[in-house]
Amino acid sequence: MEEKNTKQKLNFWKWAFLLLLSIVLGVTIWLTIQLTPVIQGEPNLELSETEEEEITFQIYAQKKDLNQLVTTYIDEELSNKQVDFNFILDKEAQLSGIFQLFGRDVGFSLFLDPFVMENGNLQFKATRISVGALDLPISFAMNLIKSQLKVPKWVAIDTKKEIIVFNLNEFYLESGMHFTAEKIDLENDDIRINVFLPNK
């Protein structure tokens, strides 16, 4: 009789354990499906819900990461025989280089304030410019830069509004990958870019 009671108790705890295990596994699977997984790395990639056509990632980057990418892109993809230039992100965005003024090489530094547009493009508003020892209006200097600087088709320089727009919605890699900006906070070094990859 005692042996029978012992078996019943063992069976009870066995089924209770299996039930508890099933609940834990069920909740874990549900949470895994519902929550967005995060891939650790440099920069961080966060997977978001995907559509049938594309896989979407969000890149968390720092200024140093983007500066390295931009430098590589300029060196490898762009051929600027007329103007040597650099584009870096620091406390402000800064476009610097050398252009021709009255037949002479003149160094310039154009300082810009970045802004994420509703469509995910990036707009940079000129705040000030340094052109050697000269005191030139921003619009005039930007006209010189625009006329001499060879930029990609997806970069637009508006000298009247004194802005430079990175039309990311027109920039596609050969793989079909494209990007939109989500956030750019230079002060807190918080930059977020959405990446769209064709789901082939």
Side-chain angles (χ1 to χ4, degrees):
M1 189 72 174
E2 290 183 5
E3 185 179 349
K4 185 176 181 180
N5 288 335
T6 302
K7 287 183 177 179
Q8 287 179 345
K9 288 180 180 179
L10 288 174
N11 284 336
F12 170 78
W13 288 113
K14 175 183 176 181
W15 287 111
F17 172 76
L18 291 174
L19 179 62
L20 180 62
L21 182 62
S22 299
I23 292 173
V24 171
L25 287 175
V27 171
T28 301
I29 293 171
W30 182 82
L31 286 174
T32 302
I33 294 172
Q34 295 298 319
L35 297 179
T36 302
V38 176
I39 301 174
Q40 300 296 328
E42 266 304 326
N44 293 327
L45 298 177
E46 182 178 311
L47 296 175
S48 63
E49 292 184 7
T50 61
E51 299 179 358
E52 291 183 3
E53 301 84 9
E54 294 180 322
I55 300 172
T56 305
F57 303 86
Q58 190 170 92
I59 299 177
Y60 292 78
Q62 295 180 321
K63 290 179 284 191
K64 63 179 182 180
D65 302 317
L66 287 189
N67 287 339
Q68 185 175 357
L69 286 174
V70 170
T71 299
T72 301
Y73 179 80
I74 291 174
D75 290 343
E76 295 183 359
E77 302 296 331
L78 300 181
S79 175
N80 286 276
K81 296 180 180 179
Q82 292 175 297
V83 178
D84 292 323
F85 73 97
N86 293 300
F87 184 85
I88 62 170
L89 299 175
D90 195 5
K91 293 180 180 179
E92 302 172 89
Q94 181 179 344
L95 177 67
S96 60
I98 297 173
F99 57 51
Q100 290 283 320
L101 180 63
F102 305 124
R104 294 187 177 185
D105 290 340
V106 178
F108 72 89
S109 291
L110 178 65
F111 298 90
L112 307 125
D113 186 23
F115 172 75
V116 176
M117 303 173 71
E118 289 185 3
N119 60 3
N121 290 338
L122 277 172
Q123 175 183 290
F124 294 88
K125 173 67 176 176
T127 56
R128 57 196 172 94
I129 190 164
S130 172
V131 185
L134 301 175
D135 184 18
L136 298 179
I138 291 177
S139 58
F140 177 77
M142 287 186 69
N143 264 315
L144 291 175
I145 295 170
K146 182 178 180 180
S147 65
Q148 298 183 36
L149 190 66
K150 182 179 179 182
V151 298
K153 293 180 179 179
W154 50 274
V155 175
I157 299 176
D158 188 328
T159 58
K160 291 183 179 179
K161 295 182 179 179
E162 300 179 353
I163 61 173
I164 298 176
V165 178
F166 287 12
N167 293 301
L168 299 179
N169 57 356
E170 299 176 8
F171 175 60
Y172 284 77
L173 298 179
E174 291 184 4
S175 61
M177 184 185 296
H178 58 108
F179 312 88
T180 59
E182 182 70 23
K183 181 180 181 180
I184 180 164
D185 182 351
L186 298 183
E187 183 178 353
N188 295 305
D189 208 3
D190 184 6
I191 301 168
R192 305 179 192 183
I193 304 293
N194 298 317
V195 182
F196 302 91
L197 181 65
N199 189 8
K200 295 181 180 179

